[in-house]
Amino acid sequence: MKDRVRVIDATKYFDKVLALRNVNITVRTGEVVLVIGPSGSGKSTLLRCVNRLENLNKGKIWIDEDEVTKPKADIRKIREEVGMVFQSFNLFPHLTAIQNITLAPHIVKKIPEKQAVEKARALLNRVGLIEKADSYPGQLSGGQQQRVAIARALAMDPRVMLFDEPTSALDPEMIKEVLDVMLDLAREGMTMLVVSHEMGFAKAAANKVIFMDNGEVIESADPETLFNNPHEERTKKFLAHIL
Amino acid sequence: MAEVKKPKIEITDGALIPGKDSDAVFSAWRISFFGALSLIILLPIITPDPYRRIIAFLPDGILRTFEVTVLSIFFAFFIGLITGLGRISRIKIINRIATIYVEVIRGIPLLVQIFYIYYALGRFLKIPDIASAVIAMAVCYGAYLGEIFRAGIQSIPKGQMEAALALGMSRSQALRRIILPQTIRLVLPPVGNEFIALLKDSSLVSILAVSDLLRRGREFASRTFDYFETYTMVALIYLVITLFLSRLVAIMEERLQKGER
Ligand SMILES: Nc1ncnc2c1ncn2[C@@H]1O[C@H](COP(=O)(O)OP(=O)(O)OP(=O)(O)O)[C@@H](O)[C@H]1O
Ligand SMILES: [Mg+2]
């Protein structure tokens, strides 16, 4: 399998605060890579550098043959091809579910309205929300909003999907419906970089789990090994804390 | 239900906002509104002379007042929108210009601005009285509306812009399609309040040769010497109009908050 995302020696500061230190990560095509770690360890920052919502101070990020971090990179093109799902959904409240999904394909990719709607309906079907097409985000539950948000990102046909704690703002009974959608995606071969502490999802879908602390990758392994036989002291401590 | 965060901005001009008691039968708003309205109707019946003549003389002025107010708020809206965008611009010079505009305008009394535009501009080009009145009001209120727009834009959660950018939209697409539509909804009530404030301030243009409500009253009174009766009527009419509009704004605000989407 080829590498879809390569993060090489990534370092990022916010003023004096070090958010990422020499981070190296690869996500192969079709792989699901899970990132775990305590609050403030740089997980969100890592994801946000991949689609250039933040810029690295040092290091490089590649998606397939394209260098994301080079100064002349077409940032909008990169973002078109990298889907992102946020903890707080960030649906557009003044647009219906289907309008949330069709807007970017229509105005960014210039896909004709009719075609965009057709595709959006297929995506809504896939996340089990076709009957909510004309609902506004305010009329949807958190789990439903997050599923629409996933459909919105998928509508751009991304090469990779980034998930930043997609279920941590949800009531427990809604977590499963979102994870099920993500599991389906994983099975269909979507390349995914996921920040989440959902053990069930990790065991079912992750090819690799990365533990970060203080802006550094402490260790990475397949889920079985990382959860049951971690090498590093810090990993053990963190796992004891969350399990 | 997941909590949808409702952005909300403070109404800075608290004038004439119906208070909590607005549902009571004898609320402050009802007493003043219907009290003033009955006086306007009853006085000409009880004392036809001079009230009936006054009431016949003023409607032209009311129309002129509305004309000045609507035109001014229309232009002020666009000046305000541009100023608000300028105030959040990342381009330093645009940001600086917008800020200076707001500071300077807010530091000069409206009456002085009206004189200034009328006489200063009048030295170089001949503009009609009503136009210079509208320019002065629009320039002045544009600065206030600019601040409302700025606050409105800034109160939209940051995640909205980020989600739009993450989908590949440009900043200006995100502003146009995502941020501004939400902002407009949010600022409608405060803009409505500015409209009311502007309507009251429009009485200042009566010092130019614009025959608004106040000026019509003055013309009438200086001819008949019925100063007390005339200005009573003028004040009552302003009061009824502004109370009526403030009620509309309050209803609109309630609707927007309830029908949140
Ligand atoms: N915009 C910012 N400005 C300044 N500092 C920031 C900014 N974003 C993140 N940081 C800092 O960078 C570090 C890493 O933050 P990040 O949000 O990536 O952590 P995280 O692992 O996602 O944490 P959490 O689990 O709480 O989401 C933290 O110390 C944080 O305070
Ligand atoms: Mg985070």
Side-chain angles (χ1 to χ4, degrees):
Chain A
M1 264 191 292
K2 280 171 57 178
D3 292 341
R4 175 57 51 94
V5 182
R6 275 181 298 151
V7 178
I8 300 160
D9 232 13
T11 298
K12 168 75 185 169
Y13 291 91
F14 290 105
D15 294 324
K16 296 261 157 54
V17 181
L18 186 71
L20 297 176
R21 184 207 300 267
N22 302 327
V23 170
N24 287 285
I25 285 175
T26 30
V27 185
R28 297 212 194 119
T29 307
E31 246 189 356
V32 176
V33 172
L34 199 80
V35 183
I36 62 171
S39 181
S41 55
K43 307 179 297 291
S44 298
T45 306
L46 171 67
L47 259 52
R48 294 164 59 82
C49 287
V50 173
N51 70 353
R52 291 282 300 265
L53 284 177
E54 305 286 355
N55 291 316
L56 287 179
N57 293 93
K58 200 172 108 281
K60 286 183 175 162
I61 297 176
W62 295 74
I63 296 179
D64 295 329
E65 266 71 59
D66 306 313
E67 192 195 329
V68 170
T69 41
K70 87 182 157 202
K72 274 195 260 162
D74 182 350
I75 299 181
R76 288 182 57 189
K77 191 85 193 139
I78 292 162
R79 288 178 181 153
E80 270 182 62
E81 299 179 339
V82 178
M84 190 167 213
V85 174
F86 302 85
Q87 180 175 350
S88 48
F89 330 136
N90 297 345
L91 286 184
F92 308 131
H94 60 300
L95 302 178
T96 61
I98 194 144
Q99 289 168 339
N100 262 277
I101 301 172
T102 53
L103 181 63
H106 185 53
I107 69 171
V108 176
K109 281 191 153 179
K110 314 286 183 217
I111 292 172
E113 185 94 41
K114 198 161 153 262
Q115 224 172 305
V117 168
E118 243 165 64
K119 176 156 196 192
R121 294 188 65 84
L123 285 167
L124 277 174
N125 217 355
R126 184 164 160 191
V127 299
L129 287 172
I130 190 67
E131 77 282 7
K132 299 288 185 189
D134 297 319
S135 302
Y136 285 89
Q139 302 165 321
L140 300 177
S141 73
Q144 293 170 332
Q145 288 189 55
Q146 193 62 300
R147 286 187 280 156
V148 173
I150 293 172
R152 178 177 71 176
L154 290 175
M156 298 297 282
D157 291 320
R159 285 195 268 178
V160 55
M161 285 281 285
L162 311 173
F163 292 83
D164 193 355
E165 309 205 34
T167 56
S168 54
L170 295 176
D171 295 337
E173 72 271 17
M174 292 170 186
I175 290 177
K176 187 170 174 301
E177 64 191 54
V178 172
L179 290 180
D180 282 347
V181 168
M182 292 170 62
L183 273 174
D184 272 348
L185 266 184
R187 279 197 208 103
E188 285 161 27
M190 175 60 74
T191 310
M192 295 158 68
L193 183 55
V194 182
V195 175
S196 171
H197 295 123
E198 292 294 335
M199 289 300 154
F201 176 78
K203 285 175 183 154
N207 300 89
K208 189 163 69 182
V209 180
I210 294 172
F211 172 64
M212 288 182 71
D213 193 10
N214 268 326
E216 285 180 291
V217 172
I218 305 300
E219 70 178 297
S220 84
D222 61 277
E224 197 63 32
T225 315
L226 194 117
F227 292 136
N228 299 330
N229 290 308
H231 271 286
E232 303 287 330
E233 219 29 64
R234 274 196 271 180
T235 318
K236 284 178 196 161
K237 255 175 127 175
F238 176 73
L239 288 173
H241 195 71
I242 62 162
L243 285 178
Chain B
M1 278 311 257
E3 264 205 308
V4 182
K5 220 176 134 203
K6 282 183 200 166
K8 193 164 181 292
I9 55 175
E10 293 284 322
I11 293 158
T12 44
D13 179 15
L16 290 169
I17 308 295
K20 277 266 176 280
D21 68 337
S22 57
D23 290 331
V25 179
F26 291 106
S27 68
W29 184 84
R30 287 208 175 137
I31 293 173
S32 11
F33 180 76
F34 290 108
L37 194 59
S38 352
L39 280 177
I40 291 175
I41 296 166
L42 291 179
L43 284 175
I45 296 172
I46 299 165
T47 331
D49 182 46
Y51 284 111
R52 202 166 281 179
R53 279 183 294 124
I54 297 172
I55 211 79
F57 195 77
L58 294 180
D60 283 357
I62 299 175
L63 283 183
R64 192 34 64 95
T65 289
F66 269 116
E67 190 185 348
V68 171
T69 307
V70 169
L71 282 174
S72 304
I73 202 81
F74 178 81
F75 291 114
F77 189 89
F78 288 102
I79 297 175
L81 186 55
I82 292 164
T83 308
L85 287 171
R87 292 269 281 145
I88 58 153
S89 172
R90 297 166 154 205
I91 305 164
K92 256 228 166 78
I93 174 136
I94 291 178
N95 190 305
R96 197 54 57 86
I97 291 171
T99 309
I100 290 172
Y101 163 63
V102 170
E103 293 292 332
V104 167
I105 293 299
R106 293 207 301 186
I108 302 173
L110 179 54
L111 187 54
V112 177
Q113 288 179 43
I114 290 171
F115 274 135
Y116 198 81
I117 285 175
Y118 187 67
Y119 292 109
L121 286 188
R123 282 179 66 166
F124 309 108
L125 59 156
K126 200 75 213 110
I127 35 178
D129 294 329
I130 185 149
S132 66
V134 168
I135 292 173
M137 306 278 290
V139 166
C140 175
Y141 272 81
Y144 290 95
L145 291 186
E147 284 304 275
I148 290 175
F149 273 108
R150 181 190 55 75
I153 293 168
Q154 286 178 337
S155 69
I156 306 295
K158 234 179 60 198
Q160 291 289 310
M161 177 57 99
E162 287 191 344
L165 293 179
L167 286 164
M169 289 185 216
S170 65
R171 279 193 89 77
S172 73
Q173 280 178 328
L175 270 175
R176 244 189 0 253
R177 301 290 196 138
I178 306 301
I179 307 299
L180 287 183
Q182 296 182 56
T183 307
I184 301 288
R185 225 169 263 247
L186 206 61
V187 300
L188 275 182
V191 167
N193 284 319
E194 290 301 306
F195 180 86
I196 295 166
L198 198 154
L199 189 139
K200 286 183 290 173
D201 278 351
S202 75
S203 60
L204 291 172
V205 304
S206 63
I207 54 147
L208 308 182
V210 177
S211 301
D212 73 330
L213 177 54
L214 178 58
R215 184 159 181 121
R216 287 290 280 181
R218 229 169 66 195
E219 284 167 11
F220 185 88
S222 59
R223 229 183 291 153
T224 62
F225 303 106
D226 297 321
Y227 289 104
F228 172 77
E229 293 82 351
T230 310
Y231 287 127
T232 300
M233 223 41 174
V234 167
L236 285 172
I237 291 172
Y238 273 116
L239 186 59
V240 163
I241 295 172
T242 51
L243 282 173
F244 176 74
L245 290 175
S246 72
R247 193 59 200 241
L248 280 190
V249 171
I251 290 169
M252 175 169 74
E253 195 171 18
E254 230 168 73
R255 285 268 168 83
L256 284 173
Q257 261 170 38
K258 256 194 234 145
E260 168 74 26
R261 56 191 211 189

